[in-house]
Amino acid sequence: MNIERFKSDIIPLRQKLFIVALKIVNDEEDAKDTVQETFLKLWNEREQLGNAQNPEGYAMQTAKNICIDKLRAKRETVEANDFSLGSHEDSPYADLEKSDSLAIVKQIIEQLPELQKTIIRMRDMEGYELQEIADITGTQISAVTVNLSRARMKVRDQYARIVNYKYGKNE
């Protein structure tokens, strides 16, 4: 499937995908994120999508699967290996600290503006290249870079404030 066909067959499904996602995840922001992730996944699988008998059905099923993954992720506990703070301790205390830190970072990311949240997730969590992010979000690569920088700075500053407050340190 080429970009023109993708634009004509898949992009117009945005509202339908959003409604399906909203019914499943019951959260508007998560539903928007699901639509973006669906478009990204469909774009990456565009060769298979071009061979699908029902591209709309394929897109809907992809969105449903992403929603289910989101719901599962919310229920699962965080693995200590998912986040490294530079500590090489193997104690339960160190694992708990890593898990708490990851939860704080995820909470901070959730509070970012939508575009910054999407960009930081795509780049730092899912490993997409800047140009890919620009294509998917429909923004210029310079806007992606600026938003990524701002998002990282906000996460870093908020994390420092929370940790300093938690341990009674003055800023």
Side-chain angles (χ1 to χ4, degrees):
M1 177 176 286
N2 62 24
I3 192 164
E4 308 310 332
R5 184 162 173 227
F6 189 87
K7 286 180 182 178
S8 67
D9 293 352
I10 303 301
I11 299 298
L13 299 175
R14 180 182 301 273
Q15 188 61 31
K16 284 183 180 181
L17 292 169
F18 176 76
I19 291 168
V20 167
L22 186 59
K23 286 180 182 178
I24 296 171
V25 296
N26 203 25
D27 179 70
E28 195 168 313
E29 294 303 318
D30 280 348
K32 288 178 184 177
D33 289 344
T34 297
V35 172
Q36 290 300 318
E37 288 178 42
T38 301
F39 283 155
L40 176 64
K41 186 168 184 146
L42 293 173
W43 176 252
N44 288 333
E45 296 177 356
R46 65 187 173 275
E47 297 303 323
Q48 296 91 333
L49 184 61
N51 297 329
Q53 291 181 350
N54 182 0
E56 182 176 342
Y58 189 89
M60 292 298 174
Q61 189 60 49
T62 300
K64 288 177 187 177
N65 291 343
I66 291 171
C67 287
I68 291 167
D69 290 345
K70 283 182 177 297
L71 293 174
R72 283 183 184 146
K74 284 184 178 182
R75 286 187 295 181
E76 292 177 0
T77 58
V78 176
E79 302 261 342
N81 293 340
D82 289 346
F83 190 73
S84 174
L85 295 175
S87 172
H88 299 292
E89 300 175 31
D90 291 322
S91 71
Y93 176 76
D95 290 345
L96 180 61
E97 188 173 323
K98 289 176 187 178
S99 177
D100 286 348
S101 295
L102 179 58
I104 290 169
V105 170
K106 284 183 174 182
Q107 184 178 16
I108 293 167
I109 289 172
E110 285 301 314
Q111 295 171 2
L112 292 172
E114 190 60 34
L115 183 59
Q116 289 180 5
K117 181 176 16 174
T118 300
I119 290 172
I120 199 168
R121 281 182 180 164
M122 291 175 76
R123 179 69 175 159
D124 293 340
M125 296 176 181
E126 299 169 11
Y128 287 95
E129 297 298 322
L130 295 174
Q131 186 61 54
E132 292 175 310
I133 297 169
D135 293 341
I136 292 164
T137 59
T139 58
Q140 298 293 323
I141 196 164
S142 58
V144 171
T145 305
V146 167
N147 277 291
L148 181 60
S149 176
R150 288 178 181 165
R152 286 175 174 166
M153 190 180 318
K154 285 179 185 177
V155 170
R156 185 175 47 247
D157 292 347
Q158 278 295 109
Y159 182 81
R161 279 193 204 110
I162 290 169
V163 170
N164 287 339
Y165 179 79
K166 182 177 175 180
Y167 294 109
K169 297 177 184 175
N170 293 332
E171 290 186 33

